[in-house]
Amino acid sequence: MKNLYIAEKPSVARQFADVLGVKGNAGAGYLESEDSVVTWCVGHLITMSYPDAYDEKLRKWDLATIPFIPTEFKYEVIPDVSKQFKIVAGLLNRDDVGCIYVCTDSGREGEYIYRLVDQMAKVGNKEKRRVWIDSQTEEEILRGIREAKPLSEYDSLSDAAYLRAKEDYLMGINFSRALSLKYSYVIRNYLKLDKCVIAVGRVMTCVLGIIVKREREIREFVKTPFYRVVGMVNVAGQTFEAEWKAVKDTPYFNSPLLYKENGFKQKKDAEDLVRKLSANGMEATLVASEKKKEKKAPPMLYNLAELQNDCSSLFKISPSDTLKIVQELYEKKLVTYPRTDARVLSTAVAKEIYKNISGLKRYTPMAAYADEVLNVGSYKTIAKTKYVNDKQITDHYAIIPTGQGMGALRGLSEIAANVYEIICRRFLSIFYPAAEYQKLAMTLAKQDEFLFANFKYMLKEGYLKVATNRFARKKDDTKYSPEFIETIGHLKKGDILSLDKFEIKEGETSPPKRYNSGTLILTMENAGQFIEDEELREQIKGAGIGTSATRDGIITKLVNNKYIALNKKTQIVTPTFLGEIIYDVVYYSINGLLRADLTASWEKGLCGVADGSITKEEYTDKMNTFVIKYTNLVKGISNQNQITTVFDRTRVYYKK
């Protein structure tokens, strides 16, 4: 009997075939040796059937036929890949195939891809084992095969995968039909469009809401000027700024004249203070001086969202481009599995981490650092640090270099090489000590007012030696030399310091920033920040909007639907007029779809199904109830004729 290995993509199947020594021509859709057969899907081979597959009458969009909730869902082969499905189905059912090794991507979506194929191919009671790996190195593939568990151990993950797809299907079909039937005629006429289908989704509509709300906050923001007062203090011929603040028991404390404790609303009030401070000589008394050291630890390792955020800001590439690049690095054995939410290592990996570090000695930009880490031996105690935590890992640990695949570096594009470099830098930095800074805080008294000055300089570079990359803008916050700070550090309480002058510095409040593609991904990952209720925020901790595997696709979908615009040069995200109109339609019909807490709670529920704490029946009931309730609610709405007055409020911002 032969073992059959089924991968998610041809490139991954080729890696398995190489490790297993299975050679041959891939043109047949599989590779075979005396004891093994290796085949592959091409992503999804099966999809959910449209409603007309259940009943031809459902082809026509009609309020009378929704809510549509099938008791049993139908699936079909995707026509473009039907040839490969036939090959795979034939192999799965071959009499000489004994054990099936499922080698699709180790995650919810990879599980779903295989289970659909298994279901459609009607595979009988053959032995099925799940290969779960974190990288595509030879050792990891062999370990994954050796330790493969029975596929049935992943049934809960499979249930969550099916439910995620059903949920997106039911909300998409029912809500898109309901809203389109109610509002598309109005929108079509209003925008003079040929056609308009209102596309909504559990995750997509929530993300649209985040973007529109931010744009409206920016529009409504009113800039407020404020005026700060600073004294120029002279010590040993060098000046530094000391800023005035209203503190407790001083004349201006909690004064209505202040914008905040260090700024006035009106310039004339700042001028009054300058006159007061300048009277009776230009001297101030040092009343407090505090010196302390501060440590800054290396950041946590990259998960996909953090990497997408950094790539957006450093390289101005979209989250979907970042995922493509890191997927390529993964398939070339250079890094570990990319679709991960974890920012830590597992205990098991920590024990063997010297292998990853050793491999980087063959990567020129990091060779000296890798060598230093190995010589110092800091990797030996990494398991006792915050960078190793099994409880913070669901499917996979953080994205790190494998230390292998160096031959593939030559074939990488410049941008992929840069992404690999920042992953390596982040990884090696956790084996270095914290950066250390000297901080000095001074308080000066002038009459009954106080001035404050703060200084900071680096004592030890620590991890920054390896973490600092050539792509980021260099920030130099060291205005003063260590020698000068040493001098003022020796000043004692009661010393009298001279002031050259007082200045008024004008500033103004800033509106919130627009999201770029990276900060939007992080916002989706940390959906809890939008929830005021602390208990609810704690409940959905760790459940964002979407998953690491789907977030970039949601942004792409919104761009393709013309609901948002993504500036390719800056990666800044803004809504379109159509996007704002869709937002308003949803706001006045199914506004729960715009709520981050609700969307994140659905995701939390799916995690509960995957870990067995929620039954699939409980989740299904909750999902069906929600879809039925809100579909019926939209059917009863009759605000279509009034809603254009809401659109009019936004139109002024889109006049050409």
Side-chain angles (χ1 to χ4, degrees):
M1 297 294 273
K2 298 190 177 191
N3 291 329
L4 172 66
Y5 301 85
I6 175 165
E8 192 166 315
K9 300 183 195 78
S11 56
V12 179
R14 173 55 74 189
Q15 303 273 18
F16 273 81
D18 288 348
V19 168
L20 294 163
V22 181
K23 309 219 176 327
N25 180 4
Y30 66 98
L31 301 162
E32 188 166 3
S33 68
E34 282 178 25
D35 56 5
S36 303
V37 184
V38 179
T39 189
W40 52 87
C41 305
V42 271
H44 278 277
L45 296 178
I46 312 297
T47 189
M48 299 179 87
S49 300
Y50 276 103
D52 52 88
Y54 297 80
D55 186 337
E56 188 54 38
K57 290 182 200 148
L58 292 169
R59 188 181 293 277
K60 184 173 183 286
W61 289 29
D62 186 339
L63 288 173
T65 60
I66 54 173
F68 167 65
I69 314 267
T71 45
E72 283 225 7
F73 284 80
K74 293 190 175 185
Y75 299 86
E76 59 197 54
V77 178
I78 298 168
D80 292 351
V81 290
S82 59
K83 184 182 169 193
Q84 187 60 17
F85 170 73
K86 280 179 193 154
I87 291 165
V88 172
L91 294 168
L92 288 168
N93 286 302
R94 240 168 63 173
D95 291 339
D96 63 340
V97 165
C99 181
I100 296 163
Y101 283 89
V102 180
C103 311
T104 48
D105 277 3
S106 308
R108 191 168 74 191
E109 210 54 28
E111 194 67 22
Y112 186 52
I113 284 171
Y114 173 75
R115 297 289 184 133
L116 286 176
V117 170
D118 188 294
Q119 174 187 322
M120 191 61 86
K122 297 185 172 64
V123 183
N125 293 325
K126 297 194 177 202
E127 185 185 359
K128 295 165 196 171
R129 302 190 80 79
R130 184 60 159 109
V131 177
W132 196 274
I133 57 174
D134 287 298
S135 74
Q136 292 193 2
T137 61
E138 185 172 339
E139 297 90 343
E140 183 67 357
I141 288 172
L142 289 172
R143 183 203 60 75
I145 294 168
R146 191 171 62 247
E147 297 176 9
K149 294 175 183 171
L151 185 65
S152 57
E153 290 198 23
Y154 296 84
D155 283 353
S156 293
L157 182 68
S158 170
D159 289 342
Y162 271 92
L163 283 168
R164 193 278 309 154
K166 288 172 183 175
E167 181 171 65
D168 286 349
Y169 177 89
L170 291 176
M171 289 191 188
I173 294 282
N174 287 289
F175 297 160
S176 294
R177 288 188 177 203
L179 292 173
S180 296
L181 288 163
K182 281 283 178 178
Y183 294 102
S184 74
Y185 179 76
V186 176
I187 297 172
R188 234 172 43 231
N189 282 356
Y190 188 82
L191 291 177
K192 299 187 172 45
L193 300 172
D194 293 336
K195 59 179 182 183
C196 172
V197 173
I198 297 172
V200 291
R202 175 180 63 99
V203 179
M204 179 176 74
T205 305
C206 181
V207 176
L208 175 64
I210 290 169
I211 297 163
V212 171
K213 282 173 204 159
R214 175 57 56 90
E215 193 65 24
R216 292 181 177 183
E217 281 170 18
I218 293 167
R219 272 180 210 147
E220 288 158 17
F221 184 84
V222 179
K223 286 184 177 177
T224 308
F226 57 86
Y227 303 89
R228 297 185 302 118
V229 173
V230 297
M232 304 306 293
V233 185
N234 191 319
V235 174
Q238 189 168 346
T239 58
F240 63 85
E241 287 182 7
E243 183 177 48
W244 170 85
K245 276 184 200 166
V247 291
K248 201 167 181 228
D249 300 327
T250 61
Y252 286 100
F253 185 63
N254 284 343
S255 164
L257 302 176
L258 297 182
Y259 158 67
K260 56 182 189 181
E261 79 278 1
N262 65 334
F264 290 92
K265 295 174 187 171
Q266 303 290 332
K267 191 173 184 180
K268 67 178 178 57
D269 296 315
E271 289 167 343
D272 289 345
L273 176 63
V274 168
R275 274 192 289 277
K276 174 187 167 182
L277 291 170
S278 302
N280 307 323
M282 295 293 283
E283 287 178 335
T285 308
L286 180 64
V287 292
S289 179
E290 189 189 355
K291 248 179 166 180
K292 66 174 178 185
K293 288 192 172 117
E294 184 184 74
K295 289 188 175 187
K296 185 183 174 191
M300 303 304 282
L301 294 160
Y302 277 126
N303 62 7
L304 183 59
E306 289 287 337
L307 184 61
Q308 285 169 319
N309 180 47
D310 273 7
C311 289
S312 173
S313 92
L314 293 174
F315 311 127
K316 302 293 182 257
I317 58 172
S318 72
S320 82
D321 286 338
T322 300
L323 179 55
K324 274 185 209 137
I325 287 166
V326 75
Q327 181 71 26
E328 178 197 355
L329 297 175
Y330 168 66
E331 289 177 17
K332 289 186 169 171
K333 305 184 188 181
L334 285 158
V335 303
T336 56
Y337 190 73
R339 292 174 177 84
T340 176
D341 292 317
R343 299 191 64 194
V344 292
L345 300 173
S346 67
T347 314
V349 168
K351 284 177 186 160
E352 305 276 306
I353 206 67
Y354 67 91
K355 293 178 182 173
N356 304 61
I357 303 164
S358 300
L360 293 178
K361 286 167 72 175
R362 301 195 307 279
Y363 172 49
T364 308
M366 296 293 110
Y369 304 120
D371 208 34
E372 189 175 13
V373 169
L374 291 168
N375 288 334
V376 171
S378 51
Y379 66 89
K380 293 173 186 170
T381 54
I382 199 70
K384 293 176 185 159
T385 68
K386 64 179 180 179
Y387 305 102
V388 177
N389 189 335
D390 292 339
K391 289 178 185 162
Q392 288 177 11
I393 299 168
T394 45
D395 296 339
H396 298 277
Y397 53 83
I399 302 169
I400 60 169
T402 60
Q404 298 189 32
M406 296 301 165
L409 285 170
R410 287 188 298 276
L412 294 179
S413 66
E414 185 184 356
I415 197 86
N418 292 345
V419 173
Y420 179 67
E421 184 182 325
I422 66 169
I423 292 169
C424 292
R425 286 185 181 279
R426 177 63 65 93
F427 167 66
L428 285 175
S429 68
I430 72 167
F431 303 101
Y432 276 80
E436 284 186 33
Y437 298 89
Q438 178 72 63
K439 292 181 86 175
L440 174 64
M442 299 173 74
T443 306
L444 302 162
K446 178 86 171 89
Q447 297 161 34
D448 51 2
E449 303 290 349
F450 292 94
L451 304 161
F452 300 86
N454 291 291
F455 305 90
K456 178 179 171 180
Y457 69 93
M458 189 184 286
L459 289 170
K460 290 179 186 169
E461 200 177 15
Y463 79 92
L464 292 170
K465 177 160 81 169
V466 57
T468 306
N469 63 63
R470 59 201 161 92
F471 316 110
R473 255 186 270 158
K474 300 281 184 288
K475 280 194 294 191
D476 186 16
D477 46 10
T478 52
K479 287 189 206 165
Y480 307 101
S481 68
E483 292 76 22
F484 177 67
I485 295 174
E486 186 73 22
T487 302
I488 57 175
H490 285 126
L491 295 170
K492 293 185 293 298
K493 191 175 173 181
D495 284 349
I496 308 296
L497 306 181
S498 64
L499 291 144
D500 286 354
K501 59 178 176 176
F502 286 99
E503 289 179 359
I504 294 170
K505 302 218 166 184
E506 187 175 342
E508 60 180 15
T509 54
S510 304
K513 283 186 176 164
R514 287 190 174 95
Y515 293 105
N516 65 34
S517 59
T519 55
L520 184 58
I521 289 272
L522 282 188
T523 302
M524 290 162 77
E525 185 187 50
N526 302 307
Q529 66 189 312
F530 296 107
I531 300 163
E532 285 172 27
D533 183 318
E534 198 174 323
E535 197 178 320
L536 181 58
R537 191 163 63 235
E538 193 56 35
Q539 266 177 26
I540 70 153
K541 207 173 182 180
I545 301 171
T547 66
S548 53
T550 59
R551 289 181 192 123
D552 65 294
I554 296 297
I555 296 173
T556 304
K557 208 167 183 181
L558 285 166
V559 171
N560 291 344
N561 284 346
K562 298 188 167 58
Y563 292 176
I564 66 169
L566 173 63
N567 184 309
K568 284 192 175 162
K569 278 188 183 170
T570 62
Q571 289 297 307
I572 296 290
V573 180
T574 49
T576 61
F577 187 24
L578 175 60
E580 293 209 45
I581 282 173
I582 301 299
Y583 170 90
D584 284 326
V585 161
V586 176
Y587 183 82
Y588 289 102
S589 55
I590 320 173
N591 63 28
L593 285 177
L594 298 167
R595 280 173 44 204
D597 60 333
L598 189 69
T599 307
S601 73
W602 286 113
E603 201 61 60
K604 184 79 173 175
L606 289 171
C607 293
V609 173
D611 68 24
S613 59
I614 296 172
T615 67
K616 63 179 178 182
E617 288 76 21
E618 284 175 286
Y619 195 92
T620 302
D621 287 348
K622 181 188 167 194
M623 172 175 79
N624 291 350
T625 302
F626 183 84
V627 172
I628 292 164
K629 177 183 171 182
Y630 283 99
T631 305
N632 287 332
L633 190 137
V634 174
K635 285 168 74 171
I637 279 174
S638 55
N639 63 6
Q640 301 92 304
N641 295 328
Q642 297 87 45
I643 202 161
T644 54
T645 59
V646 178
F647 304 161
D648 288 340
R649 290 179 216 153
T650 311
R651 184 185 273 281
V652 293
Y653 300 103
Y654 291 93
K655 283 187 173 168
K656 288 183 182 172

